[in-house]
Amino acid sequence: MMSASNNLAAHLEECFAGRIEISRSANGQLAIQLPVDLWLEVAHTLRDDPRFAFSQLTDLCGVDFLGYGQSEWQTKDATHDGFSRGVEGLGPGRFDWSGRPEASEIKQRYSVVVHLLSITHNVRISVATFAADEGLPMVPSLCDVWSSANWYERETFDLFGIVFEGHPDLRRLLTDYGFIGHPFRKDFPLVGNVTVRYDEEKGRVVYEPVEITPRVLVPRVIREDSRYKVDDIDKAADEAADSLAPGAE
Amino acid sequence: MAEIRNYTMNFGPQHPAAHGVLRLVLELDGETVMRADPHIGLLHRGTEKLIESKPFNQSIGFMDRLDYVSMMCNEHAYVRAIEQLLGIEAPIRAQYIRTMFDEITRIGNHMLWIGSSGLDLGAMTMFIYAFREREMTMDMYEAVSGARMHANYYRPGGVYRDLPDSVPLYKESPWTKGKNLKRKNEWREGSLLDFIEAFASDFPSKVDEYETLLTDNRIWKQRTVGIGVVSPERAQQLGFTGPMLRGSGVEWDLRKKQPYAMYHEMDFDIPVGINGDCYDRYLVRIEEMRQSAKIILQCVEWLRANPGHVMLKNFKVIPPTREEMKDDMEALIHHFKLFTEGYSVPKGEVYAAVEGPKGEFGCYVVSDGANKPFRVHMRAPGFAHLSSMGELVKGHMLADVVAIMGTLDIVFGEVDR
């Protein structure tokens, strides 16, 4: 499978040299990043070119990069006054795009990620792009290229408010009829905005503002000291443990 | 002549054949379906957003609640995604346990599918037969994890604990006593592996029983042959995976093509259909159950011969045991940090998929280096399958809608997420 994906990388380089960014994810799968105006062109090539033959769109989803790389807990400096390392208002959902802290390398907010599968070559690829405008993010629809994009795009539109240009039937899919807002955006509160209950007196279901306040049980912490990276010491410890296990030879 | 207009009808959301909460708006011309528009989301719980607010390990339990009839397969996808981001790999014994429980899950899932879709098409007995065996797969879940459904058993770096030496027995009650009690407890006397082995060895004969009920059944064939036909090209276009894709004759199974856990060591076959109709998909699933039993027996044999660890000893990710905590300061600190903060996963993104009973269950995780995932997206097979509903039922009769819904094998936990 690895050699297939190496070939693939070479073919991609040949087809779109300099126009797309090719990288690999943690499990060695190819990932490409491209500007939104190449979206449809690349999609068509990936499907129709026999060197790629990505006949299936397995998955499409949106990502909102607001708050990417933001921590709610100070990890750099220790303090003398005990439990005051919580960073106020820095977690996702606490600020909007215009008021975001300038800490992240991500310059654009909404991304669309597509996972493709080539059954002929037994290889996967993920293709990602950023929508240009933060106010009305727009990405061309892939419905005409892969039929399965239809519902995935409706879902992404519903949850992130990303508009897919040329989609035949862009309606909300998962949220309630008449729902306001796009719940998976990072500035949409986890507890939501409205609550629903049945009103005995009015004899119908009523919508009211939520009463509960969101609270953080475990703060978001970013550790960059790579303490979690598995090194040789850990591997040796695992092997030692295995050899000590009852019954192991 | 009077003007005849199409009739629009609501199917569900509270319809027993809708397999949960599906609202299907059907436009009918007489009894022929002209257009079907599924409305989903009635079970939408925002799982993906909830996961963003919790440390990695606390979300394993959410996975059980997605596709709540193939619990451990969902956990497997999520756990594998985290493992790949961390760059760790579970011990080999844990991999075998995962393989075995994935297959037990597959049997459990197909049993629910065959039971309920049999029931939908009028085969009442099928339901009772299938649930007789499904009960035992739930008992295996219970023995290993303590929960009959939402097992929460897999962990990044292994599985929560080793297989137990005993299985809970039936107690005497007014309904279970004497010979009946003895029969029910017969397989449960020994260890869990004994129980699983007895079950898996006997299971193919149970599948034969199902087949005597359905395979040559005239009514079953009338309801399924030639219904919901999908060509292999269309199946790929529509994002079909699992039995839905194999039913159309595409030989594609992640367990063979992109093996994970211990599947590369297993000897099994992939059944494929020819015609791509409901009947072929039924045959594919039936054969899959036999193959699952075969895989389970291979795992049991290995697990018996090779005791060992089921979790890594990497305390940065896996909590130390209670015992170690009592006499080791370091272990105590690790325990505290893991249960208050969790572990941070290196920056990156990964898509990990497993061959779930319904199809490819994938998990896309984006991490920004924090102790909580930045974004998680679950690729649920049922979502893609249901999105083809409009195309599949077009031109069929109203009664066939039920047959097609049954063949899609949808569970709303995963469709709505």
Side-chain angles (χ1 to χ4, degrees):
Chain A
M1 198 192 150
M2 205 61 196
S3 68
S5 106
N6 283 339
N7 286 342
L8 182 70
H11 292 321
L12 280 171
E13 198 63 54
E14 209 176 291
C15 276
F16 311 103
R19 293 193 292 166
I20 57 171
E21 264 176 60
I22 305 174
S23 60
R24 277 184 194 276
S25 70
N27 56 357
Q29 187 190 307
L30 273 179
I32 59 178
Q33 177 86 44
L34 48 99
V36 69
D37 47 330
L38 281 180
W39 192 240
L40 276 181
E41 188 198 324
V42 170
H44 275 288
T45 317
L46 288 179
R47 185 193 66 177
D48 298 331
D49 193 319
R51 286 174 299 175
F52 304 121
F54 285 102
S55 54
Q56 194 171 64
L57 179 142
T58 354
D59 189 21
L60 182 149
C61 71
V63 183
D64 176 1
F65 277 99
L66 176 64
Y68 184 84
Q70 293 296 328
S71 176
E72 286 170 328
W73 194 254
Q74 230 144 32
T75 52
K76 295 264 157 51
D77 306 309
T79 52
H80 294 294
D81 42 346
F83 303 104
S84 58
R85 302 175 77 186
V87 183
E88 281 289 307
L90 273 188
R94 311 280 185 82
F95 47 84
D96 60 11
W97 183 247
S98 58
R100 73 190 186 279
E102 291 288 343
S104 163
E105 67 271 37
I106 306 285
K107 293 283 168 276
Q108 278 171 314
R109 182 168 174 185
Y110 297 108
S111 169
V112 175
V113 185
V114 169
H115 294 278
L116 304 176
L117 171 71
S118 167
I119 287 181
T120 331
H121 301 304
N122 187 13
V123 70
R124 288 177 192 280
I125 195 172
S126 82
V127 187
T129 189
F130 280 97
D133 185 0
E134 265 69 55
L136 184 67
M138 270 172 118
V139 172
S141 167
L142 294 178
C143 278
D144 292 335
V145 191
W146 293 284
S147 309
S148 54
N150 190 320
W151 270 29
Y152 285 116
E153 287 180 350
R154 278 180 68 185
E155 179 197 335
T156 310
F157 162 70
D158 186 1
L159 302 177
F160 288 94
I162 299 171
V163 178
F164 290 91
E165 226 176 337
H167 190 287
D169 182 23
L170 200 62
R171 285 175 294 154
R172 282 185 180 273
L173 185 66
L174 291 176
T175 51
D176 199 359
Y177 304 111
F179 188 86
I180 298 167
H182 300 288
F184 279 20
R185 288 186 171 184
K186 292 276 181 179
D187 49 6
F188 190 94
L190 184 66
V191 294
N193 291 320
V194 286
T195 169
V196 184
R197 70 176 174 85
Y198 179 77
D199 192 306
E200 286 273 336
E201 282 169 23
K202 291 184 181 141
R204 64 180 170 86
V205 168
V206 291
Y207 287 80
E208 287 164 348
V210 276
E211 280 172 9
I212 43 173
T213 42
R215 58 188 179 132
V216 178
L217 296 178
V218 180
R220 207 181 149 72
V221 188
I222 295 183
R223 303 275 181 195
E224 279 168 353
D225 48 9
S226 31
R227 66 170 77 178
Y228 298 104
K229 288 218 178 99
V230 182
D231 53 23
D232 298 336
I233 302 170
D234 291 324
K235 280 207 178 122
D238 288 331
E239 275 156 26
D242 277 341
S243 64
L244 286 176
E249 62 273 47
Chain B
M1 202 176 136
E3 193 193 345
I4 299 169
R5 299 223 325 262
N6 282 352
Y7 187 78
T8 307
M9 197 184 77
N10 247 328
F11 182 100
Q14 310 291 348
H15 190 286
H19 287 237
V21 280
L22 169 69
R23 179 180 169 210
L24 195 58
V25 181
L26 295 171
E27 200 180 300
L28 301 171
D29 177 12
E31 249 195 280
T32 313
V33 181
M34 304 311 285
R35 211 171 64 88
D37 180 19
H39 288 210
I40 63 165
L42 288 104
L43 201 62
H44 178 61
R45 295 150 294 181
T47 308
E48 292 166 12
K49 193 167 176 98
L50 279 171
I51 290 176
E52 286 170 15
S53 70
K54 290 179 193 304
F56 280 89
N57 263 14
Q58 289 186 17
S59 306
I60 301 172
F62 280 135
M63 297 297 143
D64 299 316
R65 286 151 182 85
L66 287 172
D67 178 356
Y68 42 76
V69 288
S70 46
M71 295 69 72
M72 289 206 196
C73 291
N74 307 348
E75 288 175 25
H76 202 162
Y78 179 63
V79 158
R80 244 165 57 83
I82 299 173
E83 282 176 353
Q84 286 174 353
L85 277 171
L86 283 168
I88 58 175
E89 214 170 304
I92 196 152
R93 186 172 166 86
Q95 305 271 23
Y96 268 99
I97 294 177
R98 286 182 186 176
T99 311
M100 184 172 76
F101 268 95
D102 275 12
E103 293 311 311
I104 291 172
T105 308
R106 195 177 315 277
I107 289 181
N109 176 81
H110 284 358
M111 216 89 74
L112 180 107
W113 167 78
I114 202 177
S116 60
S117 80
L119 191 62
D120 288 347
L121 301 186
M124 180 80 201
T125 319
M126 201 52 246
F127 189 75
I128 294 160
Y129 270 40
F131 269 57
R132 182 185 58 189
E133 269 78 57
R134 187 163 188 268
E135 184 66 18
M136 293 190 216
T137 66
M138 314 263 281
D139 287 347
M140 292 167 197
Y141 264 51
E142 186 183 358
V144 82
S145 72
R148 288 168 58 79
M149 283 187 86
H150 303 306
N152 206 350
Y153 178 56
Y154 295 1
R155 296 280 186 284
V159 293
Y160 170 62
R161 64 171 185 187
D162 207 345
L163 304 168
D165 294 329
S166 63
V167 181
L169 294 174
Y170 276 95
K171 295 204 176 72
E172 193 170 316
S173 75
W175 303 277
T176 325
K177 56 185 173 190
K179 234 162 130 190
N180 189 17
L181 179 71
K182 211 172 152 220
R183 182 181 55 79
K184 281 191 161 173
N185 280 337
E186 198 187 335
W187 288 352
R188 292 173 167 81
E189 301 286 348
S191 70
L192 177 60
L193 277 176
D194 295 335
F195 178 36
I196 293 175
E197 187 176 25
F199 170 79
S201 321
D202 177 65
F203 187 64
S205 71
K206 293 293 194 308
V207 181
D208 292 341
E209 279 182 23
Y210 307 156
E211 287 211 81
T212 58
L213 282 175
L214 293 181
T215 305
D216 290 324
N217 183 324
R218 185 168 53 87
I219 303 171
W220 179 256
K221 281 180 111 168
Q222 279 171 345
R223 293 296 301 275
T224 55
V225 174
I227 302 295
V229 180
V230 192
S231 71
E233 294 76 28
R234 259 333 264 167
Q236 292 179 40
Q237 264 280 321
L238 290 167
F240 282 11
T241 45
M244 294 293 293
L245 185 60
R246 292 193 283 275
S248 296
V250 182
E251 196 196 329
W252 179 260
D253 189 317
L254 292 181
R255 293 175 294 167
K256 276 268 192 239
K257 303 284 176 179
Q258 300 177 0
Y260 52 96
M262 294 315 292
Y263 282 112
H264 56 280
E265 296 278 326
M266 299 293 147
D267 172 32
F268 67 102
D269 300 317
I270 315 175
V272 287
I274 299 165
N275 305 313
D277 58 2
C278 292
Y279 187 68
D280 276 23
R281 292 190 279 268
Y282 153 77
L283 291 176
V284 165
R285 288 188 172 110
I286 284 282
E287 186 54 32
E288 272 189 18
M289 289 200 269
R290 295 179 194 278
Q291 298 297 330
S292 291
K294 205 168 144 190
I295 298 175
I296 291 172
L297 286 176
Q298 294 170 49
C299 290
V300 168
E301 195 189 334
W302 191 93
L303 286 165
R304 262 191 217 290
N306 299 279
H309 272 276
V310 293
M311 271 277 220
L312 288 181
K313 277 281 163 196
N314 182 352
F315 288 165
K316 302 294 181 194
V317 182
I318 288 107
T321 61
R322 204 93 205 146
E323 215 173 24
E324 282 163 320
M325 229 174 76
K326 297 290 178 192
D327 50 37
D328 183 10
M329 184 69 190
E330 282 286 311
L332 184 68
I333 296 170
H334 279 125
H335 186 274
F336 176 75
K337 282 310 271 183
L338 277 172
F339 283 93
T340 52
E341 186 183 298
Y343 48 85
S344 294
V345 166
K347 213 178 260 189
E349 53 182 66
V350 76
Y351 176 81
V354 296
E355 183 74 28
K358 297 186 166 65
E360 176 179 326
F361 188 92
C363 199
Y364 175 61
V365 180
V366 182
S367 167
D368 61 348
N371 57 343
K372 303 174 182 181
F374 186 75
R375 166 105 171 100
V376 174
H377 183 256
M378 262 81 62
R379 191 267 174 208
F383 186 83
H385 295 160
L386 186 62
S387 72
S388 71
M389 189 79 192
E391 188 178 319
L392 286 189
V393 299
K394 199 173 178 184
H396 279 302
M397 305 290 272
L398 179 58
D400 297 331
V401 173
V402 178
I404 290 171
M405 200 120 66
T407 195
L408 292 177
D409 194 8
I410 34 179
V411 155
F412 274 85
E414 62 162 8
V415 174
D416 291 346
R417 280 159 289 146

